[in-house]
Amino acid sequence: MNILHMIFTIEKGGAETYLFNILDNMAKDINFFVICDHEGGNHGKVKEKCNNIDIIKMRSPFDFKAAKNIADYCKANNIDIIQTHFLRENYIAVLSKIFNPKVKIIWTAHLMAENDKKIKFFNKLFSRFVDKIICVSHAVKNSLKKEGISSEKLKVIYNGVDTDYYKPIENCTLKKELGLNKNTLVLTTVSRFNKEKGHSFLIEGVKELKKHMEDFKLLLVGSGEEERFIKQKVENYGLEESVLFLGYREDILEILSITDIYVSPSKNEAISFSILEALSSEKVVVATKVGGVPEIFEKGDMGILIPYGEPKKLAEAIIYLHDNNQVYEKKEANSRKVIIENFSLDKMIKETLSLYKELLNK
């Protein structure tokens, strides 16, 4: 079985994590190929995981030259299935069927986008020529159904995390290295700095929390276009002693090991790898009730959901968990079990492999 993954560029986000998980853990008798438009910031990592990587320029979603090049590539490499990850690649893959009609196509819907009428029209039109659309949550599936895409095309396969890797660890010295006191309440958020991830709202919540609590530290892990703005906001509010900017880090497991409460303040989220990783590491989570996030917490009592944009609710949730040890410990005890049963990498891989086989047997 030969599978081609098309992704515009390899950066540091959820779609890339998804792709890496597929490449690392799928059955060994599957040959994977990856095509990008250009080498992104994390291209070296995909090179480590896949030998068949090529660059084909994709100048627009309607790039017929790219579509012809993709079709030729698929014929030359006997590609059975193309799996795409974003809109541009989605459309180009469909157009490639003009030149190579036998290939099967899977779209992967990683995001919940508020599309305009033009994109909704083309999504509905092009989806007719797609064999299946993987939705990473029921919220994503419902949003695509509202665009007029047939429910028969849509299949929910939740993102999964490696529970053998993301697990509680002891004897981590990171707290000391960061200069944190033993009893300091550690809050953590891991995400790119962009508006959708809700950092501005988070800082408003921290400002509110500071009125009621002194001994806490918020660890912000990641980088992005909003980072400078958020740093300025922290400075304007006089929160420099309460917020640590750690930048992009590879030692997420160690950071989670010293975390008391993981906070996900997103404005919109199809489903969150970072929440799943935190829960798998046996952490209690405070998260905004947006997109597919509530579907995680429907599986068990592992944290507190709050409305986006209400700083007082965010502060109240953190204070409640801090002040009620029995409640905290109960949620903590549930978290890893729920992830193993519902959001494990093994489960995601098995369901994806089953879909590959189903399409090839049609």
Side-chain angles (χ1 to χ4, degrees):
M1 189 187 305
N2 296 328
I3 311 291
L4 169 63
H5 281 267
M6 290 175 60
I7 184 165
F8 188 69
T9 182
I10 304 292
E11 301 296 343
K12 296 165 184 172
E16 290 83 354
T17 299
Y18 174 96
L19 176 57
F20 296 156
N21 284 340
I22 292 282
L23 296 177
D24 282 341
N25 297 281
M26 193 59 78
K28 300 302 180 186
D29 59 345
I30 298 179
N31 299 311
F32 283 106
F33 300 75
V34 177
I35 283 179
C36 304
D37 171 84
H38 61 274
E39 293 193 8
N42 219 12
H43 199 82
K45 194 167 182 178
V46 79
K47 279 186 173 181
E48 295 171 5
K49 300 173 184 295
C50 182
N51 295 323
N52 308 305
I53 306 169
D54 288 280
I55 301 294
I56 291 180
K57 298 303 293 182
M58 295 179 271
R59 292 171 177 81
S60 78
F62 306 100
D63 187 340
F64 275 88
K65 182 179 179 181
K68 178 65 165 60
N69 290 337
I70 294 294
D72 291 344
Y73 184 94
C74 289
K75 290 175 183 176
N77 292 283
N78 297 312
I79 299 297
D80 300 299
I81 297 172
I82 302 175
Q83 184 171 354
T84 62
H85 294 278
F86 293 108
L87 183 142
R88 185 180 306 224
E89 307 93 90
N90 293 351
Y91 291 7
I92 290 172
V94 169
L95 292 173
S96 79
K97 292 194 78 164
I98 296 171
F99 312 102
N100 183 30
K102 291 183 179 180
V103 73
K104 306 288 186 180
I105 295 178
I106 299 172
W107 287 357
T108 319
H110 296 283
L111 305 173
M112 289 190 63
E114 295 180 5
N115 294 321
D116 60 28
K117 289 182 179 180
K118 180 180 177 182
I119 291 177
K120 287 178 180 178
F121 170 79
F122 281 109
N123 277 349
K124 183 178 179 181
L125 175 64
F126 277 58
S127 70
R128 296 175 185 173
F129 305 97
V130 172
D131 295 276
K132 196 64 75 172
I133 302 173
I134 293 176
C135 306
V136 299
S137 65
H138 285 281
V140 171
K141 179 180 178 179
N142 292 336
S143 71
L144 293 177
K145 283 172 67 176
K146 287 178 182 177
E147 290 189 2
I149 294 175
S150 169
S151 59
E152 292 180 2
K153 298 280 187 180
L154 306 173
K155 182 176 182 63
V156 174
I157 300 179
Y158 284 123
N159 286 340
V161 295
D162 185 350
T163 54
D164 289 332
Y165 179 79
Y166 287 101
K167 61 185 178 183
I169 61 172
E170 298 177 358
N171 302 320
C172 180
T173 61
L174 187 59
K175 202 166 191 178
K176 186 176 180 180
E177 291 171 18
L178 294 176
L180 303 177
N181 296 326
K182 183 180 179 181
N183 296 320
T184 297
L185 178 71
V186 179
L187 313 171
T188 299
T189 296
V190 181
S191 70
R192 299 186 314 278
F193 278 83
N194 66 30
K195 289 183 179 179
E196 289 294 302
K197 295 300 181 181
H199 288 90
S200 185
F201 160 54
L202 175 59
I203 299 307
E204 295 290 342
V206 170
K207 180 186 177 186
E208 187 67 30
L209 181 63
K210 193 74 174 175
K211 297 175 185 178
H212 308 278
M213 185 186 295
E214 281 293 330
D215 192 14
F216 72 89
K217 275 282 200 281
L218 171 64
L219 309 182
L220 293 179
V221 183
S223 59
E225 64 271 17
E226 286 279 295
E227 187 173 359
R228 183 179 295 181
F229 168 73
I230 298 301
K231 284 182 176 178
Q232 187 61 56
K233 188 164 189 170
V234 167
E235 188 178 324
N236 292 345
Y237 285 168
L239 296 172
E240 297 97 325
E241 294 300 313
S242 300
V243 181
L244 287 178
F245 290 84
L246 299 184
Y248 177 77
R249 305 275 294 225
E250 292 285 351
D251 58 340
I252 301 302
L253 186 61
E254 287 74 18
I255 291 169
L256 290 173
S257 75
I258 65 168
T259 298
D260 297 301
I261 300 171
Y262 186 87
V263 184
S264 177
S266 294
K267 183 179 180 181
N268 193 9
E269 198 78 68
I271 203 161
S272 169
F273 269 114
S274 63
I275 291 177
L276 299 178
E277 290 164 359
L279 292 169
S280 183
S281 302
E282 217 167 71
K283 299 302 162 183
V284 177
V285 173
V286 172
T288 45
K289 192 176 182 179
V290 297
V293 172
E295 295 172 42
I296 302 172
F297 294 89
E298 287 169 3
K299 311 293 185 184
D301 181 14
M302 306 166 292
I304 297 176
L305 290 175
I306 59 167
Y308 173 81
E310 296 191 26
K312 286 186 178 181
K313 295 285 187 183
L314 175 54
E316 287 169 1
I318 292 169
I319 293 166
Y320 177 74
L321 291 170
H322 177 263
D323 292 347
N324 293 273
N325 198 49
Q326 281 189 321
V327 172
Y328 178 91
E329 288 181 352
K330 180 184 176 184
K331 293 177 186 295
E332 184 181 48
N334 289 336
S335 57
R336 181 167 168 79
K337 179 184 175 184
V338 169
I339 297 303
I340 289 171
E341 291 176 355
N342 300 279
F343 299 97
S344 72
L345 181 56
D346 285 346
K347 188 171 187 290
M348 185 198 92
I349 293 295
K350 286 176 183 175
E351 291 178 3
T352 306
L353 178 58
S354 176
L355 176 60
Y356 290 164
K357 290 178 177 178
E358 175 190 323
L359 293 184
L360 289 186
N361 289 332
K362 276 190 175 181

